[in-house]
Amino acid sequence: MSKEYKGIVKAWEATVRKSQGFTKKRSHTIFGTMMSATVAHADDEDPSSTTTATTTTQQQKEVLLPNGDFYTGQWLEGLPHGSGKYLWTDGCMYCGEWQKGKTTGKGRFTWPSGASYEGDFKVGYMDGIGTYTGSSGDTYKGCWVMNLKHGQGIQNYATGDCYDGEWKKGLQDGHGKYQWKSGTNYVGEWNGGIMNGNGVMNFEDGNRYDGNWEDGFPKGNGTYRWADGGYYVGVWSKEEGSEWDQQELFLGESLSACKISVTEVASIYPSQKACYVPGSDAGSFKQAADGRLSNYSMSSWEGSDSGVGGGFDGEGEESYYGYTNVNENLNKLRLQPAKKQGETISKGHKNYELMLNLQLGIRHSVGRPGPPLTSLDLKSSAFDPREKVWTKFPPEGSKYTVPHQSCEFRWKDYCPLVFRTLRKLFNVDPADYMISICGDDALRELSSPGKSGSFFYLTNDDRYMIKTMKKAEVKVLIRMLPAYYNHVRQFENTLVTKYFGLHCVKLTGPNQKKVRFIIMGNLFNTEYAIHRRFDLKGSSHGRITCKPESEIDASTTLKDLDLNYLFRLQRVWYQEFCRQVDRDCELLEQERVMDYSLLVGIHFRESFHRADIPTPPRTSGARTPTGLRTPTGNGDVDSDVVGGGAPRLSKAEIDKLVLDPSRWASIKLGMNMPARVEKTVRRDGETQLVGEPTGELYQVILTFGIIDILQDYDISKKLEHAYKSMQYDPTSISAVDPKQYSRRFRDFIFKVFVEES
């Protein structure tokens, strides 16, 4: 290193130390210890120059960048590759392994505050096994996924407390032990950073509570034992109106002193640190907010915002999930978001009075005073098929109903306590629920009924969907309601449809028409526009869209033989996905239902900014449509399928939503999941259910869930199976025994959803 260059480096270090107020004196320069690589310099160019020749051999580079950053280490084809050290002017530093310009492998990241992370990196993220040491002295050693603690890990707090157990999305979740400095400890289940489930609290004075917990407090069955051998066994509650408070009586100050310590949060994540490295031929590039690379010119850098990832335009985008340039494939798609589907039901519409009746009934059912829900445990009588409430709605009103302008009708609530408890379980606020369905905005009727003959209505805010039902479907739902309730209560990540209410409107007069309907969550109520949607069953007979390709748009629901992608999920999500699909299918098989499907919505990131890109010709084999056009509003509607509205977020906002760790709480299994899809092609036409991968990759956001779960394997389905089996391959038709259906469904889903390598 030349004397002139050493002077530049030392001057840079002095500037950084002064600007950040470094308190620790170092006996040597920050670059005094070089990387283990001993590759000689490739040239003796002016060190202040930001242009270096790109060669195909690995070199050792030391580059002082125009913005004040500094990089020293191995270099390959114009990118950091191998071992290297990068320092930002704000005092942050990364020292470790690089791969094609990305911090990937083993490394150490330090903050100006003195905090540090040492361990595995993947495309800029703390991901794998690593140790974070905070500036206040707290440490975490364990598993990480995309900058968040996820998996098994040990957290030692600056307060002296310690937690050893399972983590999920940065919070204690699963089984773990929390040890307070005072000597008290809790061993048991956690949920979202709070003691929740079965657990044991051992107090420092020798007392002990063993039982159920909810939101950090004993609730439900539990036993409290004193050190002298005495004990209390009973049901614990802290609800208003309870006769006495066991928590206050027995636990007192002991429990109030057991506060969960707060972990230190990094001021900025390594994946959010932009790095600017020049190249001579390919132009400049920087590591974007999630560790991806984007081609830049000097002018674009200078004109960008100074914030994290400022000026990022998505060109040359590469994802967390791998290194293939996935966005170049978007040039082959014409993608535009679906407009809001359906026709607004205004006065004069044939179903206007039915909508008014529905809204009046919902307002009455939800707004009716009832006893407080003190527990999620319901008696078997709540699920009794005879548990229903009839209410008469005369136009002039009554003691219990308000006057209205519709015709006289009767309203029925099925199992009202069960659905009220389900709404609480799904965190549905009663006031918001009523406003969505019964507010000033009218419902929208989807333009065409599903194959079952049911009609579908959407609330104006797209949160809820209302589906008319046959009597047989109502019977199936009521029959399986106890098992359904226990299932969704036990598995918060269940993929089955969420149901919020089951009702019936009976018109008076000569018509005496009954309309039964279910209220459920809209699967595609998401911030992301849905560009592609697939309804997947795992069967092949008739599972292709009967529309010319010119009419296929973002609102069209495609089927198994239309599917031309593999869905690649990150390992932790893939494992959870497989477990949950198995659990959900076991429920449906146990309840003897079939003909359900996995509805998948795909949002191609940044794709709706490329509206005029030409569509490639269709490949050989079965239909594999690739172009998405502006919808005409005449898309098919299949049972629970609904359309996402116009995009609610700008491109920058979508990037922020996906990449900002503070927003990752909104990412759940089946909802807003970052992933990749790989294009496939069928060589053998319709005989090949799953196509062969082509290597074309797209960065996407996935939304999916299991729908149509109310079809019993009744006599009509058995006859359908017998009739079609004589004409077609019995394994290719949808109508099969529930056990066979479940096995085939899972086999297919686990072929099209794969683990990201």
Side-chain angles (χ1 to χ4, degrees):
M1 185 183 291
S2 66
K3 292 183 179 180
E4 179 185 2
Y5 200 78
K6 288 181 179 178
I8 293 175
V9 172
K10 289 182 178 179
W12 181 91
E13 289 177 311
T15 302
V16 171
R17 289 196 184 99
K18 183 177 180 180
S19 63
Q20 297 299 323
F22 281 91
T23 58
K24 296 181 180 179
K25 295 184 179 180
R26 303 178 184 179
S27 59
H28 53 77
T29 69
I30 201 166
F31 298 106
T33 304
M34 293 301 295
M35 312 309 296
S36 58
T38 58
V39 181
H41 291 291
D43 53 58
D44 294 323
E45 293 179 346
D46 181 1
S48 62
S49 172
T50 61
T51 303
T52 58
T54 301
T55 67
T56 58
T57 59
Q58 193 163 331
Q59 309 165 0
Q60 189 78 14
K61 292 286 184 178
E62 292 177 339
V63 184
L64 181 62
L65 303 168
N67 64 344
D69 292 352
F70 187 91
Y71 173 78
T72 177
Q74 292 175 304
W75 190 271
L76 180 65
E77 296 181 351
L79 300 172
H81 187 84
S83 298
K85 185 184 294 185
Y86 192 101
L87 292 99
W88 288 265
T89 54
D90 63 1
C92 291
M93 180 180 74
Y94 172 79
C95 179
E97 297 175 344
W98 297 75
Q99 187 168 348
K100 298 181 180 179
K102 307 176 184 66
T103 54
T104 300
K106 301 289 184 182
R108 177 181 172 86
F109 188 95
T110 58
W111 286 262
S113 64
S116 67
Y117 168 83
E118 184 169 4
D120 296 331
F121 284 82
K122 185 174 181 182
V123 196
Y125 288 91
M126 300 182 288
D127 193 288
I129 305 297
T131 300
Y132 176 86
T133 303
S135 58
S136 59
D138 60 342
T139 62
Y140 170 82
K141 183 176 182 179
C143 298
W144 298 77
V145 173
M146 295 180 73
N147 292 340
L148 295 180
K149 303 163 191 172
H150 194 103
Q152 196 73 24
I154 301 175
Q155 173 76 52
N156 290 293
Y157 299 88
T159 59
D161 297 350
C162 176
Y163 172 81
D164 183 354
E166 295 176 293
W167 297 76
K168 187 175 181 181
K169 297 181 181 178
L171 298 172
Q172 298 95 330
D173 200 296
H175 190 274
K177 177 180 179 180
Y178 193 100
Q179 180 77 44
W180 281 269
K181 183 180 180 181
S182 63
T184 299
N185 67 71
Y186 168 84
V187 181
E189 297 298 317
W190 296 75
N191 188 298
I194 301 173
M195 296 175 287
N196 207 91
N198 291 320
V200 178
M201 177 80 83
N202 297 294
F203 295 95
E204 57 181 310
D205 56 8
N207 296 345
R208 165 191 174 108
Y209 170 81
D210 185 350
N212 195 62
W213 296 74
E214 185 173 307
D215 296 332
F217 293 95
K219 186 172 181 181
N221 295 320
T223 302
Y224 188 86
R225 297 182 183 274
W226 284 269
D228 60 7
Y231 64 90
Y232 166 81
V233 180
V235 178
W236 296 66
S237 175
K238 197 176 175 61
E239 299 290 341
E240 293 183 6
S242 58
E243 295 182 3
W244 53 292
D245 189 351
Q246 304 98 320
Q247 295 178 17
E248 192 65 31
L249 180 65
F250 295 147
L251 304 181
E253 296 181 359
S254 298
L255 186 60
S256 62
C258 296
K259 303 294 184 184
I260 307 301
S261 297
V262 178
T263 58
E264 178 179 315
V265 179
S267 57
I268 190 169
Y269 290 94
S271 59
Q272 294 174 302
K273 287 300 297 177
C275 69
Y276 177 86
V277 180
S280 59
D281 298 327
S284 302
F285 74 89
K286 73 171 191 172
Q287 184 169 326
D290 65 343
R292 301 167 303 171
L293 299 180
S294 300
N295 291 329
Y296 265 79
S297 64
M298 179 64 75
S299 59
S300 67
W301 169 264
E302 293 173 347
S304 68
D305 297 332
S306 59
V308 175
F312 175 61
D313 67 355
E315 297 298 328
E317 173 181 318
E318 299 196 46
S319 91
Y320 163 83
Y321 298 95
Y323 312 122
T324 305
N325 190 339
V326 296
N327 250 15
E328 66 183 14
N329 294 318
L330 288 174
N331 292 329
K332 301 177 182 178
L333 297 176
R334 181 191 301 138
L335 300 170
Q336 292 188 2
K339 295 179 180 178
K340 280 194 173 184
Q341 288 181 273
E343 175 187 359
T344 300
I345 303 177
S346 55
K347 196 166 185 178
H349 191 283
K350 63 178 181 178
N351 288 324
Y352 179 70
E353 284 197 348
L354 178 62
M355 181 191 73
L356 292 182
N357 297 345
L358 187 153
Q359 292 177 323
L360 286 165
I362 294 293
R363 189 180 292 115
H364 172 76
S365 298
V366 179
R368 181 174 53 215
L373 292 173
T374 58
S375 173
L376 296 177
D377 296 321
L378 298 179
K379 296 180 180 179
S380 58
S381 58
F383 299 92
D384 193 315
R386 294 168 295 183
E387 187 68 17
K388 41 195 166 187
V389 179
W390 279 104
T391 305
K392 189 176 181 179
F393 280 79
E396 65 275 11
S398 68
K399 182 179 179 180
Y400 304 103
T401 63
V402 297
H404 59 87
Q405 299 179 352
S406 183
C407 61
E408 182 174 328
F409 68 96
R410 295 183 70 196
W411 172 264
K412 183 196 289 188
D413 275 323
Y414 295 89
C415 301
L417 181 59
V418 177
F419 285 101
R420 182 181 168 206
T421 312
L422 280 172
R423 291 194 292 271
K424 180 181 180 180
L425 189 64
F426 294 140
N427 297 316
V428 174
D429 181 78
D432 291 342
Y433 184 70
M434 281 197 294
I435 290 173
S436 291
I437 301 174
C438 313
D440 295 334
D441 295 320
L443 302 177
R444 303 198 313 275
E445 182 181 65
L446 298 188
S447 56
S448 60
K451 188 187 297 183
S452 64
S454 299
F455 283 85
F456 301 87
Y457 305 92
L458 278 173
T459 57
N460 190 64
D461 59 6
D462 287 333
R463 293 179 64 183
Y464 302 104
M465 181 177 181
I466 301 166
K467 172 190 174 185
T468 61
M469 301 178 71
K470 297 177 180 178
K471 186 175 182 179
E473 291 178 306
V474 173
K475 288 183 176 181
V476 172
L477 178 56
I478 293 177
R479 184 196 73 202
M480 66 181 293
L481 198 53
Y484 172 85
Y485 177 83
N486 291 329
H487 184 80
V488 298
R489 183 181 176 186
Q490 183 179 0
F491 304 112
E492 63 174 343
N493 285 332
T494 180
L495 299 175
V496 297
T497 306
K498 292 182 177 179
Y499 294 126
F500 303 114
L502 180 60
H503 312 281
C504 176
V505 170
K506 182 179 180 181
L507 304 178
T508 58
N511 191 6
Q512 294 286 312
K513 180 182 179 182
K514 281 187 179 180
V515 181
R516 303 171 184 86
F517 55 90
I518 185 78
I519 301 175
M520 51 195 172
N522 176 7
L523 182 63
F524 290 157
N525 178 38
T526 172
E527 296 92 337
Y528 304 102
I530 302 299
H531 299 124
R532 268 281 188 252
R533 63 190 69 199
F534 292 93
D535 182 270
L536 307 175
K537 293 185 177 183
S539 57
S540 58
H541 177 67
R543 299 296 295 164
I544 191 168
T545 304
C546 298
K547 284 178 113 177
E549 188 164 353
S550 59
E551 295 181 13
I552 293 176
D553 54 45
S555 66
T556 303
T557 302
L558 303 171
K559 301 178 183 178
D560 300 68
L561 291 178
D562 300 307
L563 181 64
N564 54 342
Y565 298 108
L566 292 178
F567 304 100
R568 297 189 169 275
L569 302 182
Q570 190 194 0
R571 178 173 56 86
V572 290
W573 283 119
Y574 177 75
Q575 293 173 348
E576 177 61 24
F577 171 76
C578 292
R579 285 193 295 265
Q580 195 56 55
V581 168
D582 281 335
R583 293 166 184 156
D584 292 340
C585 287
E586 286 169 6
L587 167 72
L588 301 176
E589 182 181 331
Q590 170 191 319
E591 294 302 315
R592 300 290 296 169
V593 297
M594 39 76 68
D595 217 20
Y596 46 87
S597 56
L598 185 74
L599 180 64
V600 183
I602 307 176
H603 168 85
F604 291 88
R605 292 198 53 205
E606 305 181 23
S607 52
F608 56 78
H609 299 281
R610 303 167 179 262
D612 300 322
I613 298 172
T615 304
R618 187 190 307 171
T619 57
S620 60
R623 180 193 303 272
T624 54
T626 54
L628 294 180
R629 283 154 286 283
T630 303
T632 61
N634 297 322
D636 290 339
V637 180
D638 190 0
S639 189
D640 303 347
V641 182
V642 295
R648 299 170 178 81
L649 299 177
S650 68
K651 166 188 168 295
E653 289 171 329
I654 287 177
D655 277 334
K656 183 177 180 181
L657 179 65
V658 174
L659 305 176
D660 183 1
S662 67
R663 300 293 302 274
W664 288 346
S666 66
I667 301 175
K668 299 179 181 179
L669 184 67
M671 181 59 64
N672 298 337
M673 289 182 59
R676 288 199 307 176
V677 295
E678 181 174 3
K679 191 74 175 292
T680 62
V681 62
R682 291 178 177 82
R683 308 293 183 188
D684 301 325
E686 294 188 17
T687 61
Q688 187 179 6
L689 194 56
V690 180
E692 299 174 10
T694 63
E696 288 187 24
L697 297 166
Y698 302 88
Q699 188 175 350
V700 300
I701 305 294
L702 293 181
T703 299
F704 51 82
I706 297 177
I707 64 170
D708 288 342
I709 64 172
L710 300 178
Q711 178 58 59
D712 194 18
Y713 191 55
D714 54 17
I715 187 63
S716 64
K717 286 296 179 181
K718 292 176 181 178
L719 290 174
E720 179 185 345
H721 172 76
Y723 175 73
K724 289 186 176 179
S725 295
M726 293 186 293
Q727 297 178 301
Y728 310 102
D729 179 1
T731 63
S732 70
I733 60 178
S734 295
V736 295
D737 176 85
K739 187 173 184 178
Q740 180 183 348
Y741 191 95
S742 172
R743 183 172 58 253
R744 183 182 63 188
F745 176 81
R746 282 186 268 190
D747 288 345
F748 175 69
I749 294 302
F750 294 153
K751 287 179 181 177
V752 296
F753 280 80
V754 297
E755 181 179 342
E756 182 65 72
S757 56

